[in-house]
Amino acid sequence: REKDDRYKTWMPKFLMSKETKDRRKSSDDVERSIFKVKKINAEKSKKMEKEEKIFREMFLYDKEISVISTATAMCSIPSKRRADLPLTAGEQLDVIDVTEGSAVICRNSEGRYGYVLVEHLNFR
């Protein structure tokens, strides 16, 4: 035990002030949310790896995946082909590679890859 803990007096919860209770609750919530985030990140990373594998097979992409820039989708567009990435207005996209023509290869927040026309993107 540390010195501070040794000199603390024990007090039932109903005699504690509200501020102390709130402070205690918030610290407990923070500790609990850390464990949830780790579990979610593990599931998300597995999904991202699966999406990356599918992307490499479909696009025959053997280069290292690096983000060139980020862009925001200006409008919502459903995908017409399997290789196209469906967009939602205001969605943040990572630009992975520039192709010949007016399309770029992008990745969305879910980890899906696909072609997006430059005219549908807003670069900041």
Side-chain angles (χ1 to χ4, degrees):
R1 285 190 170 186
E2 294 181 20
K3 292 179 183 180
D4 296 338
D5 291 341
R6 198 179 327 159
Y7 298 111
K8 278 187 180 178
T9 57
W10 181 84
M11 192 179 279
K13 284 189 178 178
F14 63 89
L15 293 177
M16 283 185 184
S17 66
K18 272 191 171 184
E19 295 168 357
T20 310
K21 285 181 187 177
D22 292 339
R23 206 174 324 135
R24 247 189 180 171
K25 284 181 184 176
S26 64
S27 67
D28 290 345
D29 293 342
V30 169
E31 290 174 3
R32 288 183 186 140
S33 67
I34 290 170
F35 297 116
K36 289 179 186 174
V37 169
K38 287 182 181 178
K39 184 178 179 183
I40 291 169
N41 284 344
E43 291 172 3
K44 197 170 188 178
S45 67
K46 284 182 184 178
K47 186 177 180 183
M48 294 279 260
E49 287 174 10
K50 183 180 176 185
E51 290 290 341
E52 183 179 330
K53 184 179 176 184
I54 293 168
F55 162 70
R56 286 186 182 279
E57 290 172 358
M58 188 181 347
F59 289 82
L60 301 174
Y61 196 83
D62 57 350
K63 297 185 245 176
E64 182 182 342
I65 295 175
S66 60
V67 178
I68 298 170
S69 66
T70 57
T72 307
M74 291 193 296
C75 54
S76 297
I77 300 172
S79 62
K80 295 176 184 168
R81 300 180 301 167
R82 187 169 179 218
D84 292 339
L85 185 65
L87 297 178
T88 311
E91 182 179 17
Q92 291 284 336
L93 300 170
D94 296 330
V95 178
I96 304 299
D97 199 0
V98 180
T99 60
E100 293 180 18
S102 62
V104 292
I105 298 174
C106 292
R107 174 177 62 196
N108 65 6
S109 60
E110 296 173 2
R112 294 191 61 204
Y113 295 85
Y115 288 114
V116 179
L117 294 175
V118 175
E119 57 212 37
H120 300 303
L121 299 176
N122 181 17
F123 294 92
R124 284 190 257 159

